[in-house]
Amino acid sequence: MSVPELAVRGLTVRFAGITALDDVSFTVAPKTLHAVIGPNGAGKSTCFNVLSGVYRATEGSVTFGDAELTKLPPHKIASLGVARTFQNLALSDYLTTAANLQLGRHRLTRTGFVTAGLHLPSARREERAQADKVREVAEYVGITEHLPLPVGLLPYGVRKRVELARALCLEPRLLLLDEPVAGMNGGERRAMVETIGRVREVMDLSIVLVEHDMALVGRLADEVTVLDFGRRLTTGTPAEVRRHPDVIRAYLGKSAEEDPAAAPRTNDTPAQGQGENP
Ligand SMILES: Nc1ncnc2c1ncn2[C@@H]1O[C@H](COP(=O)(O)OP(=O)(O)O)[C@@H](O)[C@H]1O
Ligand SMILES: [Mg+2]
């Protein structure tokens, strides 16, 4: 399957009394990695929630090729090859890693419940093919040893990788990663960045990534869109964005005006279980 362009046009999302996104537009060229950055509350997760059909847009459109995503329910969007991870993990803790990954393949399973229930040969073949794919993705993401274990028993950094693997099991054409390294330690972060970089090189997909860490964004992103209070400040290459005066003021804070590489104004690396999903 080819990878179409993602185009976000005039996207506005209002909740009672809050405009979470205000007329935001950007496009993601096929097979590129587009980062969305901005302080806590800027509207980044809201944007992902609209892209994956969890929230309804108040105004505006999101097209992925010919499909208008704002008119589709989440399962239809998933069936177009749009997969996501959540800022706070959304895995089934009591299921094994393997079972969580199989759930990720759900849209690709052709066997109906009846066929599967009767244990017909076609269903068994299908099951084997699914299991093979799950193992392949697990190997790719480096979680093979964790396949038989309940996800709830795994360290946080590994669970974040399981979530990435689950999204990849959908064989996505568009992968939405909401703060994939949040809460990770240095080693886990480096490994995750390396994995995302490899996914991006090897697989036929576009990636939209929400992240705080400018250094990380600079290493991975082709283009960056900066949000602040629901508005788009600018879009450009990481270098362009880092130099942009509005970005320096709004996102990086006053102290960063002398040193644009300084840490962001807010860092909302979430504590575990500080549930904000979706
Ligand atoms: N379901 C919701 N109901 C009401 N307000 C929401 C909801 N989701 C997000 N918001 C608000 O929208 C704004 C943007 O939030 P969010 O998209 O989570 O920001 P970010 O991910 O950039 O930190 C915040 O003010 C937040 O409180
Ligand atoms: Mg968020």
Side-chain angles (χ1 to χ4, degrees), residues 15 18 20 38-47 55 87 179 268 276:
F15 301 105
I18 296 170
N40 203 4
K44 305 180 299 293
S45 291
T46 299
C47 185
Y55 287 175
Q87 179 171 351
E179 305 208 12
D268 69 346
E276 186 196 301

Side-chain angles (χ1 to χ4, degrees), residues 77-98:
I77 293 176
S79 75
L80 292 171
V82 179
R84 70 171 290 183
T85 65
F86 290 84
Q87 179 171 351
N88 297 295
L89 294 157
L91 295 164
S92 304
D93 282 353
Y94 298 105
L95 296 181
T96 63
T97 297

Side-chain angles (χ1 to χ4, degrees), residues 13-21 36-49 55 87 178-179 210 212 227 229-230 266 268 276 278:
V13 178
R14 289 194 200 96
F15 301 105
I18 296 170
T19 303
L21 284 177
V36 177
I37 66 169
N40 203 4
K44 305 180 299 293
S45 291
T46 299
C47 185
F48 269 25
N49 284 329
Y55 287 175
Q87 179 171 351
D178 198 350
E179 305 208 12
V210 164
H212 274 279
L227 297 180
F229 295 111
T266 57
D268 69 346
E276 186 196 301

Side-chain angles (χ1 to χ4, degrees), residues 49-71:
N49 284 329
V50 173
L51 263 50
S52 54
V54 178
Y55 287 175
R56 284 264 155 258
T58 311
E59 284 166 51
S61 94
V62 178
T63 53
F64 186 50
D66 295 334
E68 172 58 61
L69 301 189
T70 56
K71 294 194 165 54

